[in-house]
Each structure stands twice: as structure tokens, then as C-alpha cells.
Amino acid sequence: MSGKADPRAAGEGTTSRARLDRGRGALGPALELVHTGRAPTRAVLTAELGVTRATAGAVAAELEALGLIQVDARPGAAAGSQGRPSHRLAVAEDGPVVLAAQVHADGFRAALVGLGGRIVATAPGCETVDADPAKVLVSVVEAGAELLHSTGRRCVGAGLAVPSAVAEPEGLALNPLHLAWPVGAPVRRLFAECVRTAGIDGPAFAGNDVNLAALAEHRHGAGRGARDLLCVATGHRGVGGALVLDGRLHTGSSGLALEVGHLTVNPEGRPCHCGSRGCLDVEADPLAFLTAAGRDPGPEVSLLQQAIDLIRNHYGDPAIRTATEALIDRLGLGLAGLVNILNPDRIILGGLHRTLLDADPERLRAVVADRSLWGQSGGVPILPCTLDHNSLVGAAELAWQPVLDDPLRALT
């Protein structure tokens, strides 16, 4: 027998290794395609990745072995379809989760979120927020740890949404105006320490709540398919904005971009916390609506819920209608200015702004079109956000990102 290696065998080994390397490099992009619902079948995955069917099959099999996706190898062919049906792909229902937490002016909440933006479990919300951010974050992480213990799910990271700009790279909450927290609170470090103390695995992240809402809507909701997506939303107090460009949040040089709440929409309006007057933050939020409608805020439910309930259930009341129209006009002015600067291909509205849009969509769209150059030239689609807990889901997206970037490194 010759001691020489068979060149054909060597060639086949090289080909196999190359295919394996290509497949590993495609794991992250493939997982993101399934995670965002853009690859419901292996055939679509093959086309989106630009690889061979064999490579796409190997990638799907490895993601399934990691417990991240499910491959249905025996799908039924759709009526009238031709050829062999492709395997269906979906996120694993019993796969790992991340801890998502949200703090806002009227309380905080913890949840477990799986791939695909699925909320697996939520803890009862708390309706008070301590002036010490460390105490709040200890409580919310403890609630998340209880969820993990009760469900027995594997956790691969944690994300936090806060109603403040979060400066990078330090992770400082620079303007928690509607919380009693100190300016510059190190929320990321505090959150990460709480996560480690609770024995929760994976990295911890923190971000602005509206930024994270926009990210969640872009991947799983009303922003799907948009290239340049503008999101404007009311939280429980104040107004925030976010921009997603080519699938990535635009946060500026230090995380502080799109502070849209401080656009002036009423020069003679209410004093703003920032020192100016008539900002969107105080002219188009729930408290502004309740004030315009002549209603005293009650303690029973959040200001946001009170405002939404009034518009939905009492729109026939002249005072409610007048207040609604006033806020629509102010919001429209702010949106028109943003359209002139950013030229987005879609606008989505959340919180109270979603309810304003539902109440009189034509009025809002007319104000934006009348006041913006690009609106006059063709109009910008203005849609309501569709995820009920988009900031929580967005916080989860922060924690899922390392897994989406490199599943093998993150999970093994």
C-alpha cells in the first residue's frame, strides 16, 4: 500500500472544512433572519444568506443543536405549490431566554423574553420607584431571578430600559427627569452588579426606553422592512424619539441622539424641565393632555392610562376632543420638523401618540404634510406601534445581540 495521501480525499476534506467555516460564519446572520421572521423556511434562508442548500441545512441543524431554533422537516406543501416543500424554521419555544427590565415614572417591571421577541413570563409590576436607583434595580432583578427559578429557563443575558438618555460608553442616565434619580446615575454598572449578585448568567446592558422600543418595532413590529425608521413616543411622562438606520439604532457619538422631546412646538407654552418653554416633552405628553382637557390626574392608574382611556371612551366630550386636536397639532409640528431633517421612510408612534393617531389619523397626517417639504412631495407613512411592551422587548434585544452576533461564542 502506498504511503501517499489520496489527493481526492484531501480535496474532499478541504471542501468539508471550508463549508463548515462558511456555515459557522453564517450562524449569526441565519439566527437573526429566523429571529426577525424573515426566514420562515430553509429555502428562504438559503436565498437570503446566498449559500448552497447544503450549507443552509448545516447552519439550520447547528442552530437547532444549540437549542435556538426548530426545524420542521415534514411540512405540508401549500395548496397548488410545485416541487418539494422546504423545511419550516421557527425559534425554539423552549429555548434560552434573557431577562428584560423596564423602569418608568410610574413603576417598573421584569420579564423573560425569548427569541422572536416572545415574552415568556412577566413578574407583577411595581407602581413606585425609589429615589435610589440601586434599590430599584435590586428589586427588578430579584423579580427576574424569581421568574428564572420558577420557569427553569436558561438565561443568556439581561437588558434594562430606562426613561433617560444613556451616555456611552459609561452607561450613565444623564436626564432621568421624571424619576427622582440623580443626574448621571451609573445605571449600566448598577444593573450589571445586580445581575451578577443574583447569579444570572450573561452580559448586562442598559439603554433609553424609546430607543429600545424603536429597535423592537423594527425587528418584530410596525417598523419591519423600513430602512430609515423614525419612532416618536410618549412614555408615562415626557416624549422621546429614536431613529433606526439600515437596521441599527442611530445613537450619535455618545448615545444622546434624537432628544426630540426638546423640540419647541409652542413658543408661548409651558416651562420645560430643560429650562426652555413649549417643548414637545411638556406639550404632547399625558400630563399635557390631562391639563388641556381640564382633568385632575388621579392616583388610581398611570397618567398614560388615564389619558388613553379618556380619548378612547370619551372622545365625544367637546373638552376631550379639543384637547386631543391640540395635542395632535403640536405633535404634527414636531414630526414635520423631524421629517425635514431626517427624511425617514416611515414614522411609528407609541404610547399616547399611538392613541392620538387612532383618534384622528387624517388630521395628524395633514399637519405633517402641510409643514414638511418631504411630506408635501409624497407623504411619509405614519403608523401606530404594534407591540404592547416594546421597550421591554427592546431591552431584551440588547441582551440577545451577542448571541445574534456569534451564537457559538455566546452559548458554548
Side-chain angles (χ1 to χ4, degrees):
M1 174 180 283
S2 170
K4 295 182 180 180
D6 184 342
R8 291 174 299 175
E12 289 171 1
T14 300
T15 301
S16 298
R17 286 194 298 274
R19 181 179 293 147
L20 180 61
D21 290 341
R22 285 199 303 273
R24 286 179 173 171
L27 282 177
L31 181 60
E32 183 164 342
L33 286 166
V34 178
H35 171 62
T36 56
R38 290 179 290 154
T41 68
R42 198 172 69 182
V44 175
L45 183 68
T46 301
E48 289 288 335
L49 293 177
V51 298
T52 65
R53 188 167 63 184
T55 298
V59 167
E62 189 150 11
L63 290 175
E64 186 174 38
L66 289 170
L68 296 172
I69 73 169
Q70 296 171 329
V71 180
D72 182 356
R74 296 178 297 170
S81 64
Q82 299 294 321
R84 185 172 60 184
S86 180
H87 296 180
R88 291 195 179 103
L89 307 177
V91 297
E93 293 183 0
D94 58 351
V97 296
V98 297
L99 167 62
Q102 181 182 9
V103 179
H104 52 72
D106 295 308
F108 58 84
R109 180 178 292 275
L112 304 182
V113 183
L115 283 167
R118 297 177 304 109
I119 296 179
V120 173
T122 58
C126 178
E127 297 180 356
T128 58
V129 179
D130 195 274
D132 182 352
K135 291 182 179 179
V136 176
L137 297 180
V138 165
S139 297
V140 76
V141 171
E142 287 178 348
E146 285 293 322
L147 288 176
L148 288 168
H149 177 74
S150 63
T151 61
R153 302 293 282 264
R154 178 186 180 185
C155 185
V156 296
L160 169 69
V162 293
S164 167
V166 177
E168 300 293 348
E170 298 88 354
L172 308 179
L174 288 191
N175 60 340
L177 298 176
H178 305 294
L179 303 175
W181 291 1
V183 173
V187 291
R188 181 182 299 145
R189 176 177 62 78
L190 293 173
F191 183 59
E193 289 173 354
C194 293
V195 167
R196 286 195 298 271
T197 300
I200 297 173
D201 293 332
F205 304 88
N208 169 261
D209 53 1
V210 178
N211 274 351
L212 299 182
L215 182 61
E217 292 285 345
H218 187 268
R219 291 183 174 179
H220 308 292
R224 275 181 174 173
R227 178 180 176 183
D228 298 330
L229 176 68
L230 172 64
C231 175
V232 176
T234 49
H236 288 245
R237 291 286 300 275
V239 176
L243 186 65
V244 179
L245 300 176
D246 290 326
R248 299 289 178 183
L249 276 172
H250 174 70
T251 55
S253 61
S254 57
L256 308 180
L258 270 291
E259 279 293 303
V260 305
H262 301 291
L263 289 172
T264 299
V265 294
N266 183 7
E268 306 303 322
R270 299 176 179 85
C272 183
H273 318 277
C274 72
S276 186
R277 180 178 290 275
C279 294
L280 202 60
D281 209 48
V282 292
E283 296 288 338
D285 81 334
L287 182 59
F289 174 79
L290 294 171
T291 302
R295 303 298 178 100
D296 293 326
E300 299 83 10
V301 296
S302 70
L303 298 178
L304 176 61
Q305 195 59 53
Q306 290 178 60
I308 289 173
D309 289 344
L310 281 174
I311 296 173
R312 287 180 176 172
N313 302 323
H314 303 281
Y315 194 61
D317 184 322
I320 303 301
R321 181 182 291 271
T322 299
T324 301
E325 291 175 348
L327 258 71
I328 286 174
D329 291 347
R330 294 169 194 163
L331 174 61
L333 285 174
L335 293 179
L338 292 168
V339 167
N340 284 334
I341 296 169
L342 301 173
N343 189 26
D345 58 14
R346 192 180 309 174
I347 298 171
I348 58 173
L349 302 179
L352 178 61
H353 295 167
R354 175 170 62 176
T355 306
L356 295 175
L357 176 64
D358 291 340
D360 196 341
E362 295 309 313
R363 186 184 186 99
L364 179 59
R365 291 176 178 131
V367 173
V368 174
D370 185 56
R371 296 284 185 147
S372 61
L373 175 62
W374 308 122
Q376 292 173 0
S377 68
V380 182
I382 304 176
L383 305 173
C385 290
T386 57
L387 303 178
D388 289 334
H389 302 287
N390 50 23
S391 291
L392 267 179
V393 175
E397 291 297 317
L398 288 182
W400 276 118
Q401 194 59 53
V403 181
L404 298 175
D405 290 339
D406 192 337
L408 278 175
R409 180 185 294 273
L411 298 183
T412 58

